[in-house]
Amino acid sequence: MNEHGSENLLLEYPDRWNAMQERRDQIIDAYGCGEAYHEAATGSGYGDNTFKKVARLVALDEEETCLKVVREWLAVGLDPKDRVFLICLWRGRTLAEMDRDAGRIGSARQRLQDMVNGLSRFAGLVCAEHGPACAVFQKKPRPES
């Protein structure tokens, strides 16, 4: 995913996290009590319906891994001063409104870009292995200057 995709992931994080949790619950509820995971682990022969549900859960695990990297960055990698800024964006404030509040045109866009770059660097460091979360961030981590 390019830088634009990383920005979208950051800005849409709360909605994507909630949607992912709801999809997981729907998949499990449709099958019943999480049996899809248990049957896949035992290696028992089951029909295509079970396989489809397990495949959906596995695909969801990849998205969850990516969102967990963002969640961890929000907890430990985000500057505390930027938390309020990001929460305002999540609640629907625009960059133009944030610029007006700061009294400088472009300051909100630059601040968001700095956060996106920080997230990309963090995700690169967290994903030493080439896993599903790394596929989201193509930008290689750069040393802090």
Side-chain angles (χ1 to χ4, degrees), residues 80-91:
K81 292 181 240 175
D82 289 334
R83 288 183 202 284
V84 173
F85 176 81
L86 190 55
I87 290 170
C88 287
L89 290 175
W90 287 342
R91 290 182 177 169

Side-chain angles (χ1 to χ4, degrees), residues 7 14 19 21 28 41 51 53 66 73-74 78 80 87 91 103 108 113 116 118 141 144:
E7 181 179 326
Q21 295 295 331
I28 291 172
F51 176 76
K53 291 182 186 202
C66 176
W73 177 78
L74 291 170
L78 181 63
I87 290 170
R91 290 182 177 169
Q113 189 61 44
V116 168
E144 296 286 331

